[in-house]
């Protein structure tokens, strides 16, 4: 999906900017899921630990990990646990990079989750957060012509559970726990559903499979290039359905 690719590129950009070239980093991925981002980092030579609370997902990932080359398997640990469990598993300052993607909107106690993630970051460490953008909930239904849903989103009163799904509140809290916001991006300004248009699809009916695949890849890359620009520019990034924020441990 294009949104996953955008998050990966944004993360790689911040790592390249923040750390010296060639440094092997200690990475924690909270809520591992399918492990796409974590595996990408392990393939890049970093030492990665993943936490996953769902036994089925953890088993599926562990099985998939067995198909990776031995060197990558040696650099990866997958453990049962959640963002609430970092204090039980790890000492303070254990990691250089912590990924918390799609976690805060489901966390029972986001305050303690974030504080725990800050605790396990080493000085100068990078915290990568991906959250739904609660401030832009009316955009997608409005663009789709679903006026009832758009109005409901516009007039809804903010809920306490939404507090960390709004950039201003999250920025303030990160400063209080010693991981002030360094920069932020939107994610999927135009391709919120992971699509990138249908360029090449009609032609693909008459072309060879190779030509259709090439057209599809070209459309995907064109979409990613536009998204990369929009996701770092105002006002576009502010209305993206998700936000990618980076804090740095002081």
């Amino acid at each position: 999906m294009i949104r996953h690719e955008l998050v990966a590129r944004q993360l790689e950009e911040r790592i390249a900017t923040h750390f010296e070239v060639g440094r092997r980093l200690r990475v924690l991925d909270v809520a591992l899921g399918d492990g796409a981002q974590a595996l990408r980092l392990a393939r890049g030579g970093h030492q990665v630990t993943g936490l996953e609370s769902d036994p089925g997902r953890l088993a599926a990932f562990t099985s998939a990990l067995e198909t990776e080359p031995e060197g990558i398997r040696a650099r990866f640990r997958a453990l049962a646990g959640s963002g609430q469990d970092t204090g039980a598993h790890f000492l303070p300052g254990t990691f250089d990079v912590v990924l918390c993607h799609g976690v805060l909107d489901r966390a029972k106690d986001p305050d303690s989750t974030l504080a725990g993630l800050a605790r396990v970051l080493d000085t100068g460490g990078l915290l990568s957060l991906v959250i739904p953008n609660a401030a832009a909930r009316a955009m997608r239904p409005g663009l789709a012509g679903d006026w009832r849903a758009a109005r409901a989103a516009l007039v809804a009163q903010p809920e306490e559970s939404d507090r960390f799904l709004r950039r201003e509140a999250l920025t303030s809290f990160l400063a209080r726990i010693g991981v002030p916001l360094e920069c932020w991006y939107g994610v999927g300004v135009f391709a919120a559903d992971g699509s990138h248009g249908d360029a090449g699809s009609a032609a693909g009916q008459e072309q060879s499979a190779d030509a259709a695949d090439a057209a599809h890849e070209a459309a995907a890359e064109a979409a990613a290039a536009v998204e990369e620009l929009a996701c770092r520019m105002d006002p576009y990034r502010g209305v993206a359905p998700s936000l990618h924020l980076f804090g740095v441990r002081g």
Side-chain angles (χ1 to χ4, degrees):
M1 289 178 62
I2 193 169
R3 293 180 67 196
H4 291 168
E5 178 63 20
L6 288 169
V7 168
R9 292 186 187 188
Q10 291 161 1
L11 179 60
E12 289 169 357
E13 177 181 297
R14 296 322 305 163
I15 286 175
T17 300
H18 195 71
F19 300 101
E20 60 268 26
V21 175
R23 177 175 170 181
R24 300 310 186 203
L25 302 172
R26 301 163 297 164
V27 180
L28 172 65
D29 187 357
V30 177
L32 184 60
D34 64 5
Q37 301 293 347
L39 275 174
R40 189 163 176 157
L41 290 169
R43 290 167 184 153
H46 304 298
Q47 191 75 36
V48 181
T49 300
L51 285 180
E52 177 54 60
S53 60
D54 184 292
R57 287 184 177 179
L58 182 60
F61 175 80
T62 302
S63 178
L65 184 62
E66 290 302 313
T67 66
E68 294 287 331
E70 182 179 353
I72 294 174
R73 296 199 308 271
R75 290 194 294 272
F76 209 111
R77 283 194 305 164
L79 306 175
S82 71
Q84 298 287 134
D85 304 326
T86 53
H89 285 293
F90 313 114
L91 294 172
T94 300
F95 298 101
D96 303 303
V97 179
V98 172
L99 313 184
C100 180
H101 298 174
V103 174
L104 294 183
D105 56 317
R106 298 179 282 113
K108 294 180 180 178
D109 186 353
D111 298 66
S112 66
T113 296
L114 280 172
L117 299 183
R119 173 183 171 275
V120 299
L121 264 179
D122 202 356
T123 301
L126 194 65
L127 176 61
S128 169
L129 300 170
V130 177
I131 59 169
N133 185 9
R137 282 179 175 161
M139 287 297 297
R140 296 300 163 186
L143 291 172
D146 186 347
W147 307 120
R148 178 178 296 180
R151 175 179 171 78
L154 286 169
V155 302
Q157 293 297 314
E159 299 180 6
E160 174 62 21
S161 59
D162 286 348
R163 182 164 53 102
F164 288 146
L165 308 185
R166 297 178 182 274
R167 181 172 55 86
E168 294 78 6
L170 187 53
T171 298
S172 177
F173 188 80
L174 289 174
R176 292 203 301 274
I177 62 174
V179 193
L181 184 70
E182 180 185 59
C183 69
W184 65 282
Y185 305 84
V187 180
V189 174
F190 304 115
D193 60 355
S195 66
H196 46 263
D198 58 0
S201 61
Q205 296 174 5
E206 300 177 0
Q207 297 173 348
S208 68
D210 287 346
D213 286 345
H216 184 82
E217 289 179 8
E221 186 53 43
V226 171
E227 288 282 1
E228 281 200 272
L229 286 174
C231 284
R232 66 185 66 226
M233 294 173 60
D234 293 322
Y236 304 105
R237 62 177 181 167
V239 297
S242 298
L243 301 177
H244 192 181
L245 304 95
F246 291 91
V248 176
R249 180 69 169 166

